[in-house]
Amino acid sequence: MSVHLKKAIKPIHLWAIGVGLVISGEYFGWNYGWGVAGTVGFLIATLIITLLYVTFIFSFTELTTSIPQAGGPFTYSHRALGPIGGLIAGYATAVEFLLATPAIAFALGNYLHFLHPALPVLGCGIGFYVLLTGVNLLGIKESALFSLVITLLAVFELLVYMGIVGPSFKMGNFMHNPMPFGWYGVFAALPFAIWLYVCIEGIAMVAEEVQDPSRNIPKGYISGILTLMILAIGVMVFTGGITDWKELSAIDYPLPEAIGIVLGKQSGITKIFAGIGLFGLIASFNGIILSYSRQLFALARAGYLPSFLAALSPKRQAPHWSLIVGGLLGVVALYIGKTDQLVILSVLGAVVMYILSMISLFVLRSKEPLLERPFKAPLYPWFPAIALILSLVSLAAIVYYNVFLSALFFAGMLIALVIFVGMGRHKVQTLVHGV
């Protein structure tokens, strides 16, 4: 029997989920890119990755509107490339979203610790897992409304932040030692630039719950990526011009620290900003919990994971076991990983999924020319080709500069493949459709 999710999401909710999924990337994580590339080097890396995401999102929207199912990239790759392609895409997407959340949990803990030093970083992170998993257990309508409110607050806060630090911007600060490692630094910084946009494709995970997906999904994706482009480049440039950027390149709370430099750390505005800075992190945390639960749900519904993960709560129609298990895995990652390591692994999962998604787009154009495509990738085949090439370059950068973490990622993929083939699942061609 087919298991159906509840349709309750409108375009404004999609914008909020898409921006909310990513907006924590503007609050922390990206600044590690300064440490490997400098300000101008990282700006170049960010512009390259912005091109990647613009071409990717316009291409990916074709897949999401043509096949609006909770599995997202897993479903597209399974349909285009078969069960093994689906498994690899599902594994990569699960790693991306499951490991992005503990990275954000660390940042939440650090923000609270910045405000109240007596509060433990790890304990706060676990507390947020419990709180936001509870919000998502209430159902998609409640979770989407929460995402809308918290994302609006987070966007407003970033605009206020730019207004506060903008007058203190000095080009001399921004251009001081701007590319200390040359073009090698630009290459090394690509994963941290991806962190500014990573997870926006999570909109695909809730496609099955969208009202009129063929019309509303493009609205959500396009408005979301445009909002994020403006915020990402604005925050990065303004922050780089207020002080020696090296002071901000290796901490999990660069924005409150930057305001503290401008206004003084004892300023009431600094403390207020650090407090409301939690909004952006909470928005992403909530959106990614929503996304990874749908990914686990879809993989279980298709027989790739234990079937209990595909169960829906009778009253709320939420995948409750996927929410709980995903949260437990994230807490484990909190204990064994560090923020920059989790960022790298999450981004690695993302670019592998981007590569498979763009390959799937080309394959489906050839294999299923009559498939209904309510939204077609503009400038085909150039847009998906650019997205594919830049994703491959980004993958090469991540592997070259992070050999151990890459080996860990691909070892996990190999283990999953061995188990999958050993169980004979690679011979099963059917896929449960949720629409």
Side-chain angles (χ1 to χ4, degrees):
M1 185 176 69
S2 182
V3 183
H4 295 274
L5 292 160
K6 184 178 177 182
K7 290 186 178 291
I9 298 178
K10 298 177 181 178
I12 187 66
H13 299 126
L14 275 180
W15 171 85
I17 290 169
V19 174
L21 278 163
V22 182
I23 201 166
S24 66
E26 272 75 3
Y27 283 81
F28 84 104
W30 60 267
N31 52 307
Y32 289 100
W34 280 349
V36 297
T39 47
V40 172
F42 187 61
L43 177 59
I44 294 169
T46 300
L47 293 174
I48 292 169
I49 294 305
T50 299
L51 176 61
L52 160 60
Y53 271 89
V54 169
T55 53
F56 172 76
I57 287 301
F58 274 96
S59 303
F60 193 70
T61 301
E62 176 177 317
L63 292 169
T64 310
T65 52
S66 301
I67 312 169
Q69 294 177 26
F74 151 69
T75 309
Y76 319 146
S77 297
H78 187 289
R79 187 155 174 168
L81 307 171
I84 289 180
L87 174 74
I88 295 172
Y91 168 83
T93 309
V95 168
E96 174 191 0
F97 285 89
L98 286 170
L99 295 188
T101 31
I104 298 167
F106 270 129
L108 278 165
N110 276 300
Y111 263 66
L112 284 174
H113 185 71
F114 177 85
L115 285 170
H116 305 287
L119 292 173
V121 173
L122 197 59
C124 291
I126 293 170
F128 275 106
Y129 259 111
V130 174
L131 175 65
L132 294 177
T133 298
V135 169
N136 278 272
L137 286 169
L138 294 174
I140 184 61
K141 188 175 181 180
E142 291 75 10
S143 179
L145 178 61
F146 180 79
S147 287
L148 175 59
V149 173
I150 206 77
T151 299
L152 286 170
L153 289 170
V155 170
F156 175 72
E157 184 190 9
L158 287 180
L159 295 174
V160 170
Y161 168 79
M162 287 188 276
I164 291 173
V165 301
S168 299
F169 175 87
K170 292 183 174 63
M171 185 59 73
N173 288 333
F174 190 81
M175 295 303 295
H176 175 67
N177 201 13
M179 292 181 68
F181 307 105
W183 288 99
Y184 289 104
V186 174
F187 192 58
L190 292 178
F192 299 106
I194 290 172
W195 187 248
L196 288 164
Y197 298 106
V198 74
C199 293
I200 189 174
E201 67 280 359
I203 287 177
M205 312 303 175
V206 298
E208 203 170 310
E209 296 160 274
V210 175
Q211 298 174 1
D212 194 4
S214 62
R215 287 171 54 86
N216 291 336
I217 288 173
K219 293 178 183 177
Y221 268 134
I222 294 165
S223 61
I225 194 67
L226 291 175
T227 302
L228 291 163
M229 283 169 54
I230 295 167
L231 293 174
I233 294 173
V235 166
M236 180 183 57
V237 170
F238 280 129
T239 305
I242 63 166
T243 186
D244 181 354
W245 54 264
K246 292 178 183 175
E247 294 181 20
L248 303 173
S249 65
I251 57 175
D252 282 352
Y253 46 92
L255 304 197
E257 186 72 16
I259 283 194
I261 291 168
V262 172
L263 300 179
K265 291 188 179 180
Q266 300 308 313
S267 165
I269 295 176
T270 301
K271 293 187 179 297
I272 291 170
F273 182 86
I276 62 176
L278 297 172
F279 290 143
L281 301 176
I282 292 170
S284 290
F285 205 132
N286 182 69
I288 297 173
I289 286 175
L290 178 64
S291 296
Y292 73 55
S293 64
R294 270 56 182 179
Q295 180 68 186
L296 295 176
F297 163 83
L299 288 167
R301 185 173 62 182
Y304 284 63
L305 289 175
S307 58
F308 79 94
L309 292 172
L312 297 176
S313 55
K315 184 177 179 182
R316 301 288 184 172
Q317 292 296 290
H320 53 297
W321 283 114
S322 287
L323 283 162
I324 293 167
V325 170
L328 291 173
L329 290 171
V331 170
V332 170
L334 273 175
Y335 277 96
I336 63 176
K338 296 179 180 178
T339 303
D340 56 343
Q341 295 171 335
L342 294 168
V343 166
I344 293 295
L345 284 168
S346 176
V347 167
L348 185 55
V351 295
V352 169
M353 182 271 284
Y354 298 163
I355 290 165
L356 283 169
S357 295
M358 292 301 95
I359 292 172
S360 296
L361 176 59
F362 284 115
V363 170
L364 288 172
R365 278 284 188 116
S366 174
K367 185 177 172 182
E368 298 188 41
L370 300 180
L371 176 66
E372 185 179 353
R373 293 176 170 86
F375 180 94
K376 289 191 174 183
L379 299 178
Y380 182 89
W382 297 107
F383 264 34
I386 291 169
L388 177 58
I389 291 167
L390 291 178
S391 296
L392 288 166
V393 170
S394 299
L395 177 62
I398 297 168
V399 172
Y400 182 80
Y401 287 104
N402 303 277
V403 175
F404 174 74
L405 291 174
S406 299
L408 199 63
F409 174 87
F410 287 109
M413 181 186 292
L414 183 61
I415 291 168
L417 277 169
V418 169
I419 294 171
F420 185 70
V421 173
M423 293 175 64
R425 291 294 307 171
H426 63 297
K427 299 176 182 176
V428 179
Q429 294 295 326
T430 57
L431 182 66
V432 178
H433 296 289
V435 291

